[in-house]
Amino acid sequence: MDLPRSFVIREGDLRILNPIDAPKLATLGRAVKLRPGSSLLDLCSGKGELLCTWARDHGVVGTGVDLSTAFTAAARERAAELGVADQVRFVHADAAAYVCDEPVDVAACVGATWIGGGVPGTLEILERSLRPGGMLLVGEPYWRIDPPDQETVEGCHATTREDFHDLPGLVRLFQDEGWDLVEMVLADQDSWDRYAAAHWLNLRRWLDTNPDDELAPQLRRELTEDPLRHVRHRREHLGWGVFALLRR
């Protein structure tokens, strides 16, 4: 049980595996008013930057769950680096099936609502581990601009327009599922650029040193196609944000 090796290559030495930078991640931690001792569950925790930096900056405790052995190992290293290994732990497991032994104050899934087949299913998964009155954090794309054609839809890693909502539609979806939106931190175009372009550099450096690897043709094709896809489609049309929710 693991993510494909291409994920590890693409993310390289990135610590945040979403189009949100360290200042915005810190802003989110302050905005939701984390308190020392608050308990967090982070599903699809990646390399653990959310949990580790919030443990350092706000004194929270918690668990991160991810399918990638490489990302889980990197998260544990980051916890040790920041001196918070006694506050957080990272588990290699299927996030979709994970439930905490004790309900948590905050349950997060930032940028991986595929674990629940979309936003509604992911909200249900997160709520299994949430204490009454606790907060959910959900990271999700949305249409900044309505895509004009199917090429743009597919250029934004979607199959149909209905795969994503526009921002008002996403807020309505949260409300229809019984949640109040109480905070949000949105990526901007620079956030997308930094995240996307970091992938290109990671891919190029890997290709330069691994030209005969079995993955080289696939990743060479990705490096050729993705920059144009980003500037033509994703950068203009696709937004992304983290949304804080309280059960109505």
Side-chain angles (χ1 to χ4, degrees), residues 103-118:
V104 298
D105 299 309
V106 180
C109 181
V110 177
T113 58
W114 49 265
I115 67 170

Side-chain angles (χ1 to χ4, degrees), residues 52-168:
C52 290
T53 56
W54 288 4
R56 177 196 62 191
D57 298 340
H58 301 284
V60 304
V61 298
T63 299
V65 182
D66 201 275
L67 193 63
S68 168
T69 53
F71 294 167
T72 301
R76 291 169 180 160
E77 291 175 4
R78 184 61 167 157
E81 177 186 355
L82 295 185
V84 296
D86 60 336
Q87 295 169 244
V88 297
R89 70 185 187 107
F90 293 95
V91 178
H92 173 238
D94 178 5
Y98 191 88
V99 180
C100 282
D101 294 334
E102 298 290 336
V104 298
D105 299 309
V106 180
C109 181
V110 177
T113 58
W114 49 265
I115 67 170
V119 170
T122 301
L123 296 177
E124 292 179 7
I125 290 171
L126 290 170
E127 194 172 18
R128 296 172 193 165
S129 295
L130 192 68
R131 69 163 177 81
M135 177 180 289
L136 300 188
L137 298 177
V138 178
E140 178 72 359
Y142 59 88
W143 294 120
R144 289 182 64 246
I145 302 172
D146 187 48
D149 50 38
Q150 184 63 22
E151 179 185 355
T152 301
V153 170
E154 294 176 5
C156 293
H157 302 295
T159 304
T160 71
R161 282 178 171 84
E162 287 69 36
D163 286 350
F164 305 131
H165 297 77
D166 62 11
L167 188 54

Side-chain angles (χ1 to χ4, degrees), residues 28-50:
L28 178 64
R30 293 190 300 269
V32 298
K33 299 178 171 59
L34 296 168
R35 298 177 180 177
S38 295
S39 56
L40 275 75
L41 172 66
D42 188 9
L43 297 182
C44 299
S45 52
K47 296 183 182 179
E49 194 70 1
L50 181 151

